[in-house]
Amino acid sequence: MKLSKKLVSTIICFSVPLLILAIPSELIPLPELTLVQHRIIAIFVLAALLWILEPVPVFATSILIITLEVVMVSDKGLNFFSHDSATTPLGELLSYNSIFASFSSPIIILFMGGFALAIAASKFDLDTNLARVLLKPFGRQIHFVMLGLMLITAVFSMFMSNTATTVMMLAILGPIVATAPVGDLGAKGLVLAIPIAANTGGIATPIGTPPNAIALQYLPEGAVTFAQWMMVGLPFVLIQLTVAWFLLRYLYPAKEKELPLKLEGTFLQTPRAWVVYLTFGVTILLWLTTQLHGMNAYVVAIIPLAVFTLTGVINKQDLKLINWDVLWLVAGGIAMGMALDTSGLAVKLASSIDFANMSTWLVIISLSVTCYMMANFMSNTATANLIMPIAAAVATTLPVTTQGGGITQLLMVVAFSSSLGMILPVSTPPNALAYSTGFIETKDLLKAGGIVGIFGLGLLYLGLYLFF
Amino acid sequence: MNKYVLLCVDDEREVLDSVLADLDTLGDLFDVEAAQSVGEAKELLAEMQQNQQQLALILCDHMMPGTQGVDFLVELNQDAAYKAAKKLLLTGQAGLEATVEAVNHGGLDFYIAKPWQGDELMAHVQELLTDFILENESDLMHYARGLDAEKIFSAIHARRQSL
């Protein structure tokens, strides 16, 4: 049963793109379509279907994209694919170098730096100890404990992966709520608070979650610095968290008024532990002060990796803990976007729909809502991989209404929207983790996650309206 | 249907019923099965294999008509499919020799003498199941409530980077 469903979705995923390849290029309603562009459409459709239906892991799809691109549309691809057909010109083949370069994109290094910080922090228990110390001032009153949990989860997910943060926070909260009776509302609220805060917190920094970095990839070099992103992201996150806090208190009133968390823990004092503390602090500081020293976020990101591997903080085993699946997922998206962009297909697609007659607002809202909907049902990163190249192309066709161009706003809105999708256990890894504890049900996520997400969309539009 | 099964074997129906009552709350996370003889237990094991379920823990009496409990545990311990399962002896009549055999060759994890206390039995079973889950399962979160939450969460925490 399970296998056959997988088989059916695999067949769908591959037959539709094959069908697209089979139809003559003239029949596709895009002007002067080349063979290369035609094939890229098929690859894009394949990627979209594989990412949506997920018959294979999302990172496998990414690797497939890169493979198909170098074989089918690159200058060192299969001979069979490098000739004009009788009726259609081949178009310009992509350089295989630049397709492979998607895995060494600055974005990938940025994430590696982030992973290095997270691995080092967790190896030396910096994350847990810091979380415990920061939780102490929130006392024992259940509402404030929840507020503390949410704020700390959000702050950590700005610099570590949302998933790792959720695991850490659930591990702190878990033993206490595990004693609560089944269906206890207060316990539900607390457990829900963590994935919501983790999903939300990721929005605040470029390295908080992959969709943000993907947005940066499509922006002109230096258009948004780390600090500039945070100046928009942080207030947004704070408002969202406040709303979520009140919402959870209202939806899940606790019977118990106090919640004694166990918060002992001592910071390690070994030289290596100090290397971790200092590097962590300095890296974040460097990220925030690009104007002072000129190094952008990507360049800064490789510094902790160098420091940690040199000092033995991250050894050979630890290096394997880097989330290679996330890196490949992002790289596949970059390769996809690069192909759409360099082949001229993205602009062709964007201009074939008459955006000029649509109001800018309609464009922004339709892109962000599409993104939000997709992110609820599939990987946020895969969503961003699919929507971002299209949004970037669309942005170039929009009438420029503000100085600096609408592209920055549009791509940031799309990135934010993809992090707001959290109504189901499958929406994000933090949701799935919280769901697997058995404390919360799908309907809890639907309700709380739904309200927070929709409110977030509204807040985005309001922010755009007021400030841009 | 749950992924893992708890199997209780005792020839006396009343003992079996009372053990099942003591372990009632584990029913959310595990399938709890009861057999009145080793023969019946083997049938249940065959059925489990068909359903692709795994034995997590067996709680077994010793003195039973037909195959005796310790011999059954030794047999299970030699089978790769059941080696990982936690093995408890719940008995009043296992002699020194049988007990030594169970420890040395039956992979015995725990010995409870009859008569037993319901809450103590539950606590020991929970502890053994927690160990089993930590050794054999990757989705720990699911088992945190119902078993030793503190131990499970600290394992989740220790494994957090490899997620």
Side-chain angles (χ1 to χ4, degrees):
Chain A
M1 179 63 203
K2 211 174 182 181
L3 194 81
S4 72
K5 200 178 151 203
K6 203 172 182 177
L7 197 67
V8 170
S9 57
T10 312
I11 292 171
I12 295 173
C13 290
F14 284 94
S15 57
V16 175
L18 281 175
L19 209 70
I20 292 177
L21 274 183
I23 55 174
S25 302
E26 308 88 73
L27 293 185
I28 296 175
L30 283 170
E32 293 156 35
L33 195 73
T34 65
L35 278 180
V36 165
Q37 290 172 339
H38 186 165
R39 288 177 202 146
I40 292 172
I41 293 178
I43 297 175
F44 184 77
V45 171
L46 174 68
L49 288 171
L50 285 174
W51 274 330
I52 293 167
L53 299 175
E54 239 177 275
V56 294
V58 285
F59 58 86
T61 303
S62 277
I63 297 176
L64 180 65
I65 295 171
I66 298 177
T67 310
L68 289 178
E69 283 185 11
V70 288
V71 172
M72 293 174 70
V73 293
S74 87
D75 51 2
K76 292 283 180 276
L78 199 63
N79 282 334
F80 173 76
F81 287 113
S82 49
H83 306 290
D84 294 329
S85 82
T87 49
T88 323
L90 179 67
E92 201 172 330
L93 288 166
L94 309 178
S95 111
Y96 84 103
N97 258 326
S98 54
I99 297 173
F100 280 143
S102 55
F103 197 78
S104 59
S105 151
I107 300 290
I108 301 286
I109 303 292
L110 181 64
F111 265 86
M112 251 188 235
F115 291 146
L117 287 179
I119 291 168
S122 73
K123 187 174 176 184
F124 290 86
D125 273 334
L126 171 63
D127 52 353
T128 320
N129 284 327
L130 209 55
R132 291 195 167 121
V133 167
L134 294 172
L135 264 171
K136 262 179 202 155
F138 291 92
R140 299 159 67 99
Q141 284 236 342
I142 196 155
H143 298 317
F144 292 108
V145 172
M146 187 198 268
L147 182 67
L149 284 170
M150 290 177 82
L151 283 174
I152 290 158
T153 307
V155 169
F156 277 76
S157 64
M158 291 174 197
F159 299 98
M160 306 193 342
S161 90
N162 298 353
T163 315
T165 309
T166 306
V167 173
M168 176 185 80
M169 297 306 286
L170 283 176
I172 293 179
L173 177 66
I176 307 298
V177 286
T179 56
V182 180
D184 180 78
L185 284 181
K188 264 189 186 184
L190 284 164
V191 173
L192 265 175
I194 289 176
I196 290 179
N199 296 331
T200 307
I203 294 173
T205 70
I207 61 152
T209 181
N212 299 357
I214 293 169
L216 281 187
Q217 167 85 17
Y218 289 95
L219 289 174
E221 187 73 47
V224 182
T225 65
F226 201 98
Q228 282 167 330
W229 184 289
M230 282 194 78
M231 268 153 58
V232 181
L234 199 57
F236 179 81
V237 167
L238 286 177
I239 297 173
Q240 284 287 93
L241 287 180
T242 315
V243 170
W245 183 50
F246 281 107
L247 180 74
L248 288 173
R249 283 175 61 179
Y250 170 74
L251 291 176
Y252 303 97
K255 268 191 249 109
E256 297 289 329
K257 290 291 163 233
E258 296 220 320
L259 185 82
L261 289 176
K262 283 188 189 162
L263 296 174
E264 321 67 73
T266 41
F267 284 91
L268 297 173
Q269 299 291 348
T270 58
R272 275 188 187 157
W274 273 101
V275 170
V276 175
Y277 306 155
L278 285 174
T279 313
F280 209 104
V282 170
T283 306
I284 292 175
L285 209 66
L286 287 175
W287 265 333
L288 294 175
T289 50
T290 296
Q291 306 92 304
L292 294 180
H293 50 71
M295 290 187 290
N296 67 16
Y298 312 112
V299 173
V300 170
I302 201 161
I303 295 174
L305 202 55
V307 174
F308 290 150
T309 45
L310 279 173
T311 51
V313 165
I314 289 184
N315 60 30
K316 201 169 145 189
Q317 256 62 44
D318 303 323
L319 203 58
K320 291 177 183 157
L321 291 175
I322 285 181
N323 301 61
W324 296 101
D325 55 330
V326 174
L327 296 184
W328 276 112
L329 176 56
V330 173
I334 294 172
M336 191 74 255
M338 199 276 294
L340 285 169
D341 187 42
T342 6
S343 68
L345 186 62
V347 174
K348 205 172 268 187
L349 272 173
S351 52
S352 73
I353 309 166
D354 200 0
F355 286 107
N357 287 337
M358 283 166 79
S359 80
T360 309
W361 276 106
L362 196 58
V363 174
I364 290 175
I365 291 175
S366 55
L367 276 172
S368 65
V369 169
T370 311
C371 196
Y372 169 74
M373 301 290 268
M374 283 170 72
N376 274 315
F377 296 97
M378 54 186 273
S379 146
N380 292 356
T381 310
T383 304
N385 276 344
L386 290 171
I387 302 280
M388 213 62 85
I390 297 176
V394 167
T396 57
T397 67
L398 286 177
V400 179
T401 47
T402 50
Q403 55 275 67
I407 183 162
T408 310
Q409 286 91 312
L410 183 63
L411 294 197
M412 282 181 81
V413 167
V414 171
F416 283 28
S417 308
S418 67
S419 289
L420 290 173
M422 49 178 139
I423 60 171
L424 296 172
V426 297
S427 301
T428 68
N431 283 17
L433 282 166
Y435 179 75
S436 72
T437 60
F439 287 105
I440 56 171
E441 295 160 69
T442 303
K443 66 173 179 12
D444 298 309
L445 281 167
L446 266 173
K447 199 161 43 172
I451 297 174
V452 172
I454 302 281
F455 183 88
L457 279 181
L459 184 63
L460 274 180
Y461 303 146
L462 183 73
L464 266 182
Y465 178 76
L466 290 179
F467 298 110
F468 297 102
Chain B
M1 198 167 62
N2 290 295
K3 187 172 171 184
Y4 298 110
V5 181
L6 293 187
L7 180 57
C8 309
V9 192
D10 200 307
D11 57 328
E12 287 172 68
R13 191 70 233 178
E14 307 84 74
V15 174
L16 220 41
D17 286 341
S18 135
V19 169
L20 291 183
D22 290 337
L23 302 180
D24 184 45
T25 49
L26 290 170
D28 294 340
L29 295 174
F30 300 89
D31 281 11
V32 185
E33 302 282 1
Q36 273 183 273
S37 69
V38 169
E40 209 179 304
K42 285 183 177 166
E43 279 168 34
L44 285 169
L45 289 178
E47 210 174 288
M48 278 166 42
Q49 286 214 310
Q50 276 183 352
N51 295 338
Q52 299 195 316
Q53 290 176 301
Q54 203 186 330
L55 182 68
L57 181 142
I58 177 161
L59 206 158
C60 196
D61 185 21
H62 177 56
M63 290 298 256
M64 290 184 288
T67 314
Q68 296 206 317
V70 169
D71 297 332
F72 185 40
L73 291 186
V74 172
E75 206 180 315
L76 288 180
N77 203 43
Q78 282 161 356
D79 189 329
Y82 306 116
K83 191 159 177 57
K86 296 294 168 189
K87 301 174 185 76
L88 267 101
L89 212 45
L90 177 67
T91 182
Q93 304 131 302
L96 179 64
E97 205 174 317
T99 313
V100 168
E101 175 71 6
V103 170
N104 287 349
H105 300 290
L108 188 70
D109 294 285
F110 213 82
Y111 184 108
I112 297 175
K114 288 180 183 171
W116 74 95
Q117 295 284 320
D119 47 352
E120 264 177 47
L121 177 70
M122 177 66 174
H124 293 310
V125 168
Q126 272 180 321
E127 224 32 58
L128 290 168
L129 283 174
T130 304
D131 291 342
F132 175 84
I133 290 299
L134 292 182
E135 289 156 16
N136 296 282
E137 173 63 43
S138 55
D139 175 22
L140 299 182
M141 212 65 111
H142 177 61
Y143 295 93
R145 56 185 325 181
L147 298 183
D148 184 339
E150 194 141 359
K151 210 163 168 181
I152 289 187
F153 274 113
S154 72
I156 292 171
H157 180 245
R159 293 182 195 175
R160 66 194 183 280
Q161 270 311 327
S162 52
L163 273 167

